Amino acid sequence: MRILIALHRWWGVAFCLLFAMWFASGIVMHFVPFPARIGVDRLAGWVAIDRDKVRHGPSEAVAASGIQDVTRVRLAGRRDGPVYLISGASAARVLRAADLGDGGVRSERTALDIAIACARLRGLDTAHAVAAEQMSYDQWTVSGEFDFDRPLYRVPLNDQSGTELYVSSTTGGVVLVATRNARALNYFGSVVHWLYPATLRHHEWAWSRLMWWLSLVATIGATLGFIIGLLRLSRASRRVSPAYRDLQAWHHRLGLAFAPFILSWIFSGFLSMDDGRLFSTGATPADALMLAGKPAWDRLPPDVMHHAPTAAIEIEWFAFSGQIYRRDRDALDEQRLSRAAPETEVTSPPRAFLREDEIDSAAKLLERNCDHASAIGADDAYLAKPALPEAPVFRIVCGGTWYEIDGASGALLDRLDSSRRAYRWLFGGLHTLDFPPLRSSPWLRTIAIVALCAGGLAFSLTGAVLAWRGLRASVGEPFEENRAARGRAP
């Protein structure tokens, strides 16, 4: 028992303030999340496709890209002319539709024009926007998910909200929009919660291992405290141990009251840094390639604008079950989907989304015994987010493995084996209280998160004070004895 108490005391000296910071910043993060990257389907910065500048078809763009495993080709309108975005499991490229040259943005003026067009679509004031500043990364774009877009152009609008837009030099799309309040509050939320200063986060290897070990040691320390609390409670019931007093009593009571939440929250925070160490990591490029099949990109018709609406912002071709499908989009949440066909064949009638029989056809390529595909309900606990809000998500069950497929884009959203399904609850459930009853009542979930984090914060602060007192006592007593001894010396 003495050894446990000594360990717990020194653990408290090292980690109680860290715990307090995590609980306080967790409350902030619930209300002000970290500025999120705009998904590829959000059409940020795109304008209507200039038909006169589309002089090459998607088959030519695929051939010019040099990518052998192409699964998706997007033709998007941009202020400086339409571009093809060609992507596969191994690489991605952006080419101009006019001459199939490099489609990257190389001009600050172009980046500024793209940002202004996007801002106006969002109803933002662009009167005081200034020329873009090219940069590799900053606090809000240091994550690896922006690697393909670097260098980035940062465009301050200088509006009342202090809005800044980030334009990808690779695609020319706006990949991030952040306001002054969101940036400021995140220094008290996500930045401190994840130990996320850009200078540290830029070194991915060092940052991830620091967070992994800190959260692991923190979990061990919290577990020791819980064990001590239970032992003390047991001894107190038998009156073989004196009761805690004053602040120690409060720390003891708070620890016992909030122990299940504190332990599960710290442990699930540790799992957030798992990255495949203990659990599987979900869908892989190899899985996506299998579902795509081997489409004949070279047989696509060259006249891509023939069936496109005048205001089309994007046309996308994607491989699925060995076929090529075409998505025409002229609005954020609308699309027309059809199966693209060679010049000698008739294209299928347009509709909104893929059908279950088409999902079943792709499932056969997985070379496993799979059940019939079915659309997932909106209240499903494992539902992945589709490209469009109203799009169905289909699930293919192959033994103990589930594949979730976007009905709007044919994208493989997730691959859930038993390990991945367990991770969904051990991390997503425990760390963000993402349980079905609370998900259906956002206000109740908010109350629960704030109350539990506030209890954890109070527990951590009392522990920090006690740890500080113990540290002063352990350092001060030898110092006082030495001073007394010097005073008695002749």
Side-chain angles (χ1 to χ4, degrees):
M1 184 69 172
R2 290 182 179 178
I3 295 176
L4 285 178
I5 292 174
L7 284 173
H8 181 62
R9 177 178 298 169
W10 287 104
W11 240 286
V13 170
F15 284 96
C16 271
L17 285 179
L18 183 64
F19 274 42
M21 182 183 72
W22 278 339
F23 285 118
S25 59
I27 296 174
V28 177
M29 288 175 67
H30 178 70
F31 294 100
V32 188
F34 195 79
R37 188 189 195 282
I38 298 174
V40 295
D41 261 74
R42 295 295 87 189
L43 305 175
W46 302 142
V47 297
I49 298 171
D50 187 340
R51 294 167 176 261
D52 295 333
K53 292 184 178 179
V54 182
R55 301 192 180 100
H56 297 273
S59 60
E60 296 174 280
V62 170
S65 73
I67 302 173
Q68 301 302 314
D69 55 4
V70 172
T71 56
R72 204 166 290 270
V73 178
R74 300 171 65 204
L75 172 62
R78 213 168 68 183
R79 293 289 294 179
D80 59 335
V83 292
Y84 281 107
L85 294 85
I86 305 104
S87 57
S90 61
R93 286 199 65 187
V94 180
L95 304 175
R96 293 190 299 269
D99 57 12
L100 298 183
D102 177 33
V105 174
R106 302 292 178 262
S107 162
E108 292 182 354
R109 181 69 234 181
T110 300
L112 178 61
D113 290 342
I114 291 171
I116 288 176
C118 177
R120 287 174 177 168
L121 288 173
R122 289 170 171 257
L124 301 176
D125 180 12
T126 62
H128 304 288
V130 298
E133 170 194 353
Q134 192 180 76
M135 39 162 274
S136 177
Y137 68 91
D138 65 1
Q139 183 64 67
W140 318 112
T141 59
V142 67
S143 168
E145 64 181 339
F146 293 96
D147 285 350
F148 179 71
D149 302 295
R150 305 187 202 281
L152 296 157
Y153 291 94
R154 185 177 64 88
V155 182
L157 296 185
N158 294 310
D159 58 351
Q160 288 186 347
S161 299
T163 309
E164 294 182 351
L165 287 77
Y166 293 78
V167 179
S168 166
S169 67
T170 305
T171 66
V174 175
V175 294
L176 186 71
V177 178
T179 63
R180 182 189 303 110
N181 284 345
R183 296 192 301 272
L185 290 172
N186 264 279
Y187 281 108
F188 300 95
S190 300
V191 174
V192 295
H193 191 83
W194 298 331
L195 304 186
Y196 213 71
T199 52
L200 172 61
R201 179 61 180 83
H202 178 58
H203 302 284
E204 170 72 23
W205 186 91
W207 173 79
S208 64
R209 278 152 184 78
L210 173 65
M211 289 295 292
W212 193 86
W213 282 106
L214 271 180
S215 53
L216 174 60
V217 175
T219 301
I220 295 172
T223 304
L224 285 177
F226 183 53
I227 293 172
I228 291 171
L230 289 179
L231 291 175
R232 294 286 298 193
L233 187 65
S234 174
R235 290 189 176 188
S237 65
R238 299 195 305 268
R239 297 186 178 181
V240 297
S241 179
Y244 285 121
R245 297 177 181 274
D246 303 326
L247 196 61
Q248 281 187 325
W250 277 106
H251 183 70
H252 178 65
R253 293 166 188 154
L254 287 168
L256 292 176
F258 290 95
F261 167 70
I262 293 171
L263 282 175
S264 64
W265 203 66
I266 298 299
F267 173 67
S268 57
F270 161 66
L271 291 183
S272 71
M273 301 302 301
D274 180 69
D275 196 24
R277 292 179 176 92
L278 301 175
F279 295 87
S280 59
T281 56
T284 66
D287 295 322
L289 275 176
M290 290 181 68
L291 287 168
K294 297 180 180 179
W297 291 104
D298 59 338
R299 299 183 62 197
L300 283 177
D303 185 9
V304 300
M305 302 304 298
H306 179 66
H307 299 289
T310 304
I313 295 176
E314 178 187 272
I315 303 172
E316 181 183 59
W317 297 264
F318 63 88
F320 191 71
S321 186
Q323 304 291 330
I324 299 177
Y325 290 81
R326 170 172 166 159
R327 300 171 67 202
D328 289 271
R329 303 180 64 194
D330 53 9
L332 185 63
D333 297 329
E334 298 177 6
Q335 71 173 39
R336 282 167 302 282
L337 181 70
S338 60
R339 198 182 75 181
E343 295 179 74
T344 56
E345 298 181 18
V346 179
T347 58
S348 64
R351 58 284 188 12
F353 308 117
L354 292 169
R355 301 186 304 265
E356 287 187 2
D357 62 300
E358 293 169 310
I359 306 298
D360 285 336
S361 178
K364 296 176 183 177
L365 301 178
L366 294 173
E367 300 177 356
R368 303 182 63 177
N369 185 21
C370 301
D371 296 339
H372 178 67
S374 59
I376 307 172
D379 58 347
D380 189 275
Y382 299 93
L383 178 65
K385 186 178 181 180
L388 302 182
E390 300 300 321
V393 174
F394 295 96
R395 177 174 294 154
I396 304 172
V397 178
C398 305
T401 304
W402 303 352
Y403 296 87
E404 297 195 349
I405 298 172
D406 187 354
S409 67
L412 177 59
L413 299 176
D414 208 350
R415 178 183 182 273
L416 297 161
D417 56 13
S418 58
S419 172
R420 192 68 183 170
R421 293 195 293 273
Y423 183 80
R424 181 260 180 269
W425 296 111
L426 291 174
F427 169 59
L430 295 179
H431 205 67
T432 63
L433 301 189
D434 184 19
F435 297 105
L438 293 177
R439 183 193 292 181
S440 60
S441 302
W443 63 271
L444 184 61
R445 178 168 171 263
T446 294
I447 291 173
I449 288 175
V450 172
L452 290 172
C453 283
L457 175 61
F459 165 78
S460 303
L461 290 176
T462 56
V465 174
L466 291 171
W468 173 247
R469 289 177 179 176
L471 180 63
R472 287 186 63 186
S474 63
V475 174
E477 288 177 4
F479 177 77
E480 292 295 332
E481 290 176 0
N482 290 336
R483 187 167 65 177
R486 288 197 301 270
R488 292 193 298 269

